[in-house]
Amino acid sequence: MALNPWAKNPWFETVTEAQRRAKKRLPKSVYSSLVAGTQAGVTLDDNVKAFSELTWAPHVVGAQAEREMATSVMGQDISFPVMISPTGVQAVDPDGEVAVARAAAARGTAMGLSSFASHPVEEVTAVNDKIFFQIYWLGSRDDILMRAERAKAAGAKGLIVTTDWVFNVGRDWGSPEIPEKVNLKALVRLGPEIAVKPRYALDWVKGGKVTIPDLTAPNLTPQGVPGPTFFGAYGEWMNTPPPTWEDLKWLREQWDGPFMVKGITRLDDAKRAVDIGATAISVSNHGGNNLDGTPATIRLLPDIAKAVGNDLEVLLDGGIRRGSDVAKALALGAKAVMIGRAYLWGLAANGQAGVENVLDLMRMGLDGVLMGLGQKSIHDLSPEDLLIPDGFTRAFGTD
Ligand SMILES: Cc1cc2nc3c(=O)[nH]c(=O)nc-3n(C[C@H](O)[C@H](O)[C@H](O)COP(=O)(O)O)c2cc1C
């Protein structure tokens, strides 16, 4: 009998524990691609730490017996205000985005699907009807439109355009080495890393057959046409002139459905998103993977929400690790939040069930805050629920 009776319990009770299990299970290169942040990681750290500067004073009597968490994002009803942020999942789990989409559907929420996803959009929309397809600006306008139209035909309900990428992603602690293709050469090089992670290796064996991690981007080409390799796609992206607001306006006009601009950190940009007719923005710094030195998104949220919160839906992503972080973002003006690393760690720790586990932790933590504050609904959360230290917020691009 195991000395620790909980040792094999697949349920984890915090996202930190999911991260620990992800680290244990994944080969070093795969794990490091999930935790990476650019340059010195100043933004990556601030995204998480800033939440702990915001504090509550809970009531001890007078909690509401029932608490409401349902809301909607870009026309989709969701059971609570947390959705999946798009990530190029690559080699975390063989079912990748399909497992994540199933978990999100099981918990009644929506998902952003990365254009660098490893599974075709048709497979993902087949298991969750609340999918928003994420676009990076790579290739010609015709290429971009073809991808959006393919996603729409597959049933995607909205478009997320991510524009915040500066390509200069040097990392002080080194960048993960992603092979161009998983061929014999790569297997020989990665072999020692994988050999010490037998549970991960076994995940890729199903029905006696070995699946090779697919490092292509199947959603960048028309359905049925093999996608470019990740590196091929990245190269094309680097060689595409970055989009102007005119380009985004053009795409918005082509897409008659909900449209989000992800990566907003400035008030003037938030207003431009309103001007082009966006349905939503996400206050985001790409999880600290863009320009290092950008403040935590939670510091930028209050002023942006005040400026444009009546004109479009304001979401936030970056640093969300607990349900109480979700509550803080809502109190400061977000309609909902998107999570990135938290669900990737859950996926690595325990597949689809691990992602459901993370979503449950978010819901339970948020519910605990509502209970402590004596609030009946997420819609009642406001800055008055928080102690916000002087100098906490940051605002760029004021008039
Ligand atoms: C491994 C990884 C891959 C990502 N890939 C994408 C992507 O393909 N498209 C995108 O818009 N954002 C991408 N992001 C950013 C997330 O959507 C999100 O903005 C960020 O992870 C939020 O921060 P958090 O990880 O602290 O929750 C990625 C993030 C990570 C960690």
Side-chain angles (χ1 to χ4, degrees), residues 22-103:
K23 186 172 186 187
K24 212 166 151 197
R25 185 169 192 144
L26 295 175
K28 198 163 165 259
S29 324
V30 181
Y31 176 73
S32 59
S33 70
L34 304 191
V35 288
T38 37
Q39 300 174 6
V42 171
T43 299
L44 178 72
D45 290 346
D46 197 37
N47 271 353
V48 175
K49 276 190 206 140
F51 280 103
S52 60
E53 293 174 25
L54 299 166
T55 47
W56 317 103
H59 292 288
V60 286
V61 174
Q64 302 289 323
E66 279 173 31
R67 294 155 307 271
E68 289 162 18
M69 281 187 261
T71 188
S72 67
V73 170
M74 297 216 290
Q76 298 302 307
D77 290 333
I78 53 176
S79 69
F80 72 125
V82 178
M83 61 170 267
I84 299 291
S85 209
T87 62
V89 172
Q90 313 293 339
V92 175
D93 179 279
D95 293 331
E97 299 83 4
V98 176
V100 175
R102 282 204 178 101

Side-chain angles (χ1 to χ4, degrees), residues 56-382:
W56 317 103
H59 292 288
V60 286
V61 174
Q64 302 289 323
E66 279 173 31
R67 294 155 307 271
E68 289 162 18
M69 281 187 261
T71 188
S72 67
V73 170
M74 297 216 290
Q76 298 302 307
D77 290 333
I78 53 176
S79 69
F80 72 125
V82 178
M83 61 170 267
I84 299 291
S85 209
T87 62
V89 172
Q90 313 293 339
V92 175
D93 179 279
D95 293 331
E97 299 83 4
V98 176
V100 175
R102 282 204 178 101
R107 294 301 180 261
T109 196
M111 169 176 175
L113 178 72
S114 168
S115 53
F116 278 180
S118 54
H119 286 265
V121 57
E122 294 78 12
E123 284 180 23
V124 177
T125 50
V127 299
N128 186 329
D129 62 1
K130 297 173 189 205
I131 298 297
F132 305 128
F133 185 67
Q134 179 262 323
I135 295 260
Y136 280 129
W137 209 264
L138 75 142
S140 65
R141 280 189 173 188
D142 285 349
D143 294 332
I144 291 167
L145 206 52
M146 173 273 293
R147 292 169 199 139
E149 277 167 2
R150 175 178 163 190
K152 179 164 263 182
K157 298 293 185 329
L159 213 55
I160 298 177
V161 184
T162 306
T163 55
D164 61 338
W165 195 258
V166 288
F167 298 104
N168 171 13
V169 292
R171 299 179 173 97
D172 283 2
W173 63 88
S175 285
E177 276 189 50
I178 304 172
E180 166 84 38
K181 264 192 185 145
V182 185
N183 53 18
L184 191 61
K185 196 169 144 215
L187 285 174
V188 169
R189 185 169 64 74
L190 296 172
E193 269 190 44
I194 297 171
V196 293
K197 302 287 179 180
R199 280 182 65 207
Y200 173 81
L202 280 175
D203 282 347
W204 296 84
V205 184
K206 276 200 182 141
K209 269 184 67 187
V210 179
T211 317
I212 300 291
D214 181 7
L215 298 183
T216 64
N219 295 307
L220 295 181
T221 40
Q223 187 182 7
V225 176
T229 62
F230 177 78
F231 281 97
Y234 199 85
E236 191 183 0
W237 188 17
M238 287 181 86
N239 285 313
T240 304
T244 60
W245 281 104
E246 272 308 304
D247 288 321
L248 296 194
K249 187 161 177 275
W250 163 81
L251 183 60
R252 205 291 162 257
E253 284 163 3
Q254 308 302 311
W255 176 267
D256 70 345
F259 187 94
M260 179 194 292
V261 182
K262 174 172 178 280
I264 298 289
T265 56
R266 301 174 55 99
L267 289 160
D268 44 6
D269 282 351
K271 288 177 186 163
R272 281 176 163 159
V274 174
D275 292 344
I276 65 159
T279 319
I281 53 172
S282 190
V283 178
S284 170
N285 51 38
H286 219 107
N289 244 323
N290 185 29
L291 194 58
D292 199 25
T294 310
T297 48
I298 190 70
R299 298 187 195 281
L300 300 164
L301 174 69
D303 285 74
I304 293 178
K306 243 180 262 157
V308 298
N310 290 329
D311 303 319
L312 42 60
E313 296 176 6
V314 177
L315 279 80
L316 168 141
D317 68 81
I320 301 273
R321 304 288 182 265
R322 301 169 194 281
S324 58
D325 298 339
V326 181
K328 288 171 182 174
L330 265 53
L332 294 184
K335 186 162 197 211
V337 302
M338 305 203 288
I339 56 170
R341 291 179 182 81
Y343 80 81
L344 289 174
W345 292 329
L347 179 67
N350 196 22
Q352 178 186 335
V355 181
E356 291 170 8
N357 192 154
V358 166
L359 291 170
D360 289 343
L361 295 177
M362 295 290 165
R363 183 194 296 271
M364 284 158 46
L366 174 60
D367 189 50
V369 172
L370 291 179
M371 194 163 181
L373 296 176
Q375 298 281 28
K376 195 171 171 39
S377 161
I378 53 166
H379 304 291
D380 298 332
L381 290 166
S382 80

Side-chain angles (χ1 to χ4, degrees), residues 12-26:
F12 42 85
E13 58 180 325
T14 64
V15 168
T16 307
E17 175 59 19
Q19 181 178 0
R20 219 174 280 136
R21 292 186 192 188
K23 186 172 186 187
K24 212 166 151 197
R25 185 169 192 144
L26 295 175

